[in-house]
Amino acid sequence: MPEPAITRLQSGGLITNYVCSSACAHCSYRSSPKRDKAYITADEAAANFAACRRLGCRSMHIGGGEPLLRPEGLKDVLRAARQEGIAIEYVETNSSWFKDLDTTVDLLKELQQLGCDTLLISIDPFHNEFIPFAKVKGVLQACRRAGMGIFPWVMEFYDEINRLDDQTVHSLEEYEKAYGPGYLADVQSRYWVTMCGRAVDTFGPLRARQSAAEVLRTAPRSCPRLLGTGHFHIDLYGNYVPPGCVGLTVRREDLGKPLAEENYPVFRTLLARGVPGLHESAAELGYQPTREFAGECDLCADLRAFLATTAPDRFPELAPVEFYTVDR
Ligand code: SF4
């Protein structure tokens, strides 16, 4: 059986930073103001774009953390994309940086000249816990004035957010009070929540949970999703992140090459034997489950957190380590 490798890339995103002005309850990356303050350099961005282009990717989106915490850094990233022949589909933003219409319109026009013609603007109760809606509406208005494309994510939430005071923030508890008990549980089906990162903490308790033993009894004996390349990410440290499996990475320089067992023991175990295989390895190192789990991805994340904090040097693919240590 040939060694697994990531040989073709379909579409994905570049992560400029993990630090963020928000700490949303659904965030797959556990981004927050507590994370490493680093921002991707122009050279690192160019190397990421070049690696993705070599494997067939022709366009990507840009996300974070919050890419517009450093507008000059984002401009360098857009220049790197143009230099490496990668088209930019959209830049994601939470609008927290909005101050006034004129300066925002000027900034958007500069971004357009550098190849960004669309902003994905976050519109949901999770961001509204940290960002007043007036800022979001300000960015929407500035986009219309500058002729910047708008990808509202998710417009369906606009009216229910806008009914609350737009000059301040509102907790998820306030939304439950305003729209009834079960509002948060209902949001799951209205928003594409991926059960990883902080979403596991927020939505895990709202789902059916089982003991580790019960999860292991029915868990798939392989995780083919790890080799999926439709919505991958590559971050400021040169880590490739498979879709939906945040905290598990492949080094940029290993893309397109066989992933050797000695360098990727967790990746290889999950691919070959699924979460039950990973549980065996973690149990040998003393892992003991301390709670119930909302499915195999929840248990997988707990096993990986144990390995990343117990033997970080043995599992460098569990990165960035902050994903497992900050916020817990
Ligand atoms: S079990 Fe782990 S490796 Fe498999 S899909 Fe879920 S998070 Fe990814």
Side-chain angles (χ1 to χ4, degrees):
M1 176 106 136
E3 292 206 305
I6 294 166
T7 53
R8 298 284 308 155
L9 295 179
Q10 293 171 55
S11 76
L14 181 109
I15 296 173
T16 55
N17 50 356
Y18 286 110
V19 67
C20 191
S21 40
S22 186
C24 299
H26 70 307
C27 183
S28 302
Y29 295 87
R30 292 186 182 278
S31 288
S32 80
K34 290 190 260 177
R35 296 291 296 268
D36 175 9
K37 305 292 180 279
Y39 196 96
I40 196 166
T41 63
D43 290 348
E44 200 66 37
N48 283 354
F49 288 135
C52 295
R53 188 175 168 85
R54 250 195 323 277
L55 295 180
C57 194
R58 292 293 177 268
S59 66
M60 292 174 67
H61 64 270
I62 295 173
E66 173 51 43
L68 277 150
L69 286 181
R70 299 241 194 120
E72 294 311 312
L74 176 59
K75 293 175 196 171
D76 285 343
V77 169
L78 293 171
R79 290 186 190 98
R82 183 168 276 174
Q83 170 196 309
E84 299 301 330
I86 291 279
I88 298 301
E89 295 154 357
Y90 54 85
V91 171
E92 297 175 358
T93 186
N94 66 22
S95 306
S96 60
W97 45 275
F98 177 84
K99 291 196 175 42
D100 66 81
L101 215 44
D102 292 343
T103 53
T104 303
V105 169
D106 292 346
L107 171 61
L108 296 182
K109 286 187 172 163
E110 282 186 76
L111 298 181
Q112 285 170 302
Q113 276 157 15
L114 291 167
C116 169
D117 62 14
T118 301
L119 287 190
L120 180 152
I121 299 176
S122 299
I123 300 174
D124 58 69
F126 308 119
H127 287 87
N128 194 223
E129 281 205 290
F130 300 89
I131 301 156
F133 203 46
K135 288 180 177 281
V136 177
K137 293 194 283 187
V139 174
L140 287 166
Q141 199 181 354
C143 283
R144 292 190 194 102
R145 193 177 287 186
M148 173 72 86
I150 297 171
F151 178 1
W153 189 257
V154 180
M155 205 57 191
E156 180 187 328
F157 290 109
Y158 189 100
D159 292 342
E160 63 210 65
I161 300 170
N162 204 31
R163 274 190 220 110
L164 308 180
D165 175 0
D166 69 359
Q167 295 304 313
T168 185
V169 297
H170 302 281
S171 68
L172 293 178
E173 291 70 29
E174 265 184 88
Y175 276 90
E176 288 261 326
K177 271 207 207 92
Y179 296 107
Y183 176 84
L184 184 58
D186 178 50
V187 164
Q188 287 181 85
S189 56
R190 301 167 62 202
Y191 192 99
W192 189 6
V193 172
T194 309
M195 270 306 269
C196 61
R198 205 174 285 126
V200 170
D201 309 345
T202 304
F203 292 104
L206 304 177
R207 297 188 177 195
R209 308 226 285 179
Q210 298 173 300
S211 69
E214 285 162 330
V215 172
L216 292 169
R217 232 193 314 280
T218 55
R221 265 46 190 172
S222 170
C223 284
R225 194 167 84 185
L226 285 170
L227 291 177
T229 61
H231 212 84
F232 68 86
H233 286 85
I234 188 162
D235 74 12
L236 66 158
Y237 313 118
N239 294 319
Y240 168 89
V241 184
C245 306
V246 182
L248 187 52
T249 62
V250 170
R251 290 299 303 154
R252 177 181 57 226
E253 49 274 15
D254 291 332
L255 292 175
K257 299 178 189 161
L259 301 176
E261 182 83 39
E262 60 272 20
N263 302 331
Y264 295 98
V266 174
F267 196 105
R268 292 288 304 265
T269 300
L270 284 163
L271 205 53
R273 297 187 288 132
V275 176
L278 189 64
H279 178 263
E280 269 173 43
S281 314
E284 280 161 21
L285 291 170
Y287 173 80
Q288 290 288 343
T290 57
R291 59 178 176 84
E292 293 199 314
F293 300 92
E296 71 269 6
C297 292
D298 185 6
L299 176 54
C300 179
D302 197 54
L303 291 164
R304 289 188 273 120
F306 171 79
L307 296 171
T309 50
T310 306
D313 301 339
R314 278 182 62 179
F315 305 105
E317 61 197 310
L318 299 178
V321 168
E322 274 196 345
F323 174 78
Y324 296 105
T325 57
V326 174
D327 209 35
R328 286 183 182 266

